[in-house]
Amino acid sequence: MNDERHTSPLGDFIRSHRERVSPQQAGLPAGSRRRAKGLRREEVAALCGISPTWLTWIEQGRTQSVSAATLARLADALLLSRAERDYLFNLAGQKNPDDAHLASDPEAQQALALAVGKIDGPAYVLDGLWFVPAWNAQAATLFCGWLDQPEPRHNLLHFMFLHPLAPQLVDDWPTRARRMVAEFRAEISARRDDGEVAALLDGLRRQSGDFDSLWRQQDVQSREGGERAFNHAQLGRVSYQQLTLRLANAPGLKLVMLLSA
């Protein structure tokens, strides 16, 4: 059967890119008498540790049982760039697991640390586990008693559920706490088997009955902006519009800005 009749956007993308990779680039002998451009399907399958039939099915868009690890090996075999890898995973209907680890990119963190210092208003950076690697002076003033205190690593969830200041500072704490847990569940959905995620969740559930109760509710929400109000001991009641931006080359990092309402 001619599998070209079973075309799909994913198959078109894979075939186009395997035609661009030479055997030498893939670490394979060039051989003599090669009629096809680039790599043969059998060669790509061998590089990925799967059968040629399985690769044919992937090219046909039959990805229901394809693991993220297999797609990652395929991306490696095809020498895909960062943008191309993301596109491959999107076509396959999966999330690129590499996104979870891009939050540790030191260059990206340094760029955002410089950026927050130039923002006229409270601003801070969140990584994939909602640790806060950078913030500006206005954020330290707003979160006085937390961000201005020496800690090995500041974490927003730890603050919200374990710091005595949070229920006083955060206006309508129960609503914000519920939403925060639902947003975090959505963000770590692709990292369910990650040891760091499990350790963070285990610690929060053991130390905070509120967090444990909200986590068991299984609520999921996307991260959205909107009004964020605080009852500050020195500033009084202050209100901001929250805006969250992600770095294009490190989507695991988020820049959170609290803009004057």
Side-chain angles (χ1 to χ4, degrees), residues 181 185 205 209-219:
V181 172
R185 181 184 287 278
R205 296 185 71 177
D210 289 322
F211 181 88
D212 182 61
S213 176
L214 291 171
W215 188 256
R216 284 188 281 107
Q217 291 180 22
Q218 299 287 327
D219 290 340

Side-chain angles (χ1 to χ4, degrees), residues 145-190:
W146 174 48
L147 284 182
D148 63 339
Q149 299 300 306
E151 293 182 24
R153 296 176 75 191
H154 294 79
N155 183 279
L156 186 58
L157 291 169
H158 284 172
F159 168 73
M160 195 67 172
F161 290 95
L162 302 178
H163 200 293
L165 172 66
Q168 306 167 36
L169 177 65
V170 178
D171 191 64
D172 193 9
W173 182 92
T175 299
R176 293 299 313 141
R178 179 176 293 103
R179 180 167 191 91
M180 186 175 289
V181 172
E183 291 173 349
F184 187 69
R185 181 184 287 278
E187 288 203 13
I188 56 91
S189 60

Side-chain angles (χ1 to χ4, degrees), residues 97-104 128-129 131 184 187-202:
D98 290 345
D99 288 351
H101 303 289
L102 290 173
S104 60
L129 293 179
F131 284 95
F184 187 69
E187 288 203 13
I188 56 91
S189 60
R191 302 182 62 180
R192 291 185 297 271
D193 300 324
D194 188 304
E196 287 185 306
V197 173
L200 177 65
L201 292 175
D202 287 346

Side-chain angles (χ1 to χ4, degrees), residues 98-153:
D98 290 345
D99 288 351
H101 303 289
L102 290 173
S104 60
D105 184 331
E107 291 185 5
Q109 287 198 20
Q110 183 178 16
L112 285 179
L114 292 173
V116 294
K118 300 180 183 297
I119 296 172
D120 185 18
Y124 54 91
V125 178
L126 290 178
D127 69 12
L129 293 179
W130 289 16
F131 284 95
V132 187
W135 59 92
N136 63 8
Q138 293 93 323
T141 298
L142 177 62
F143 294 102
C144 179
W146 174 48
L147 284 182
D148 63 339
Q149 299 300 306
E151 293 182 24
R153 296 176 75 191

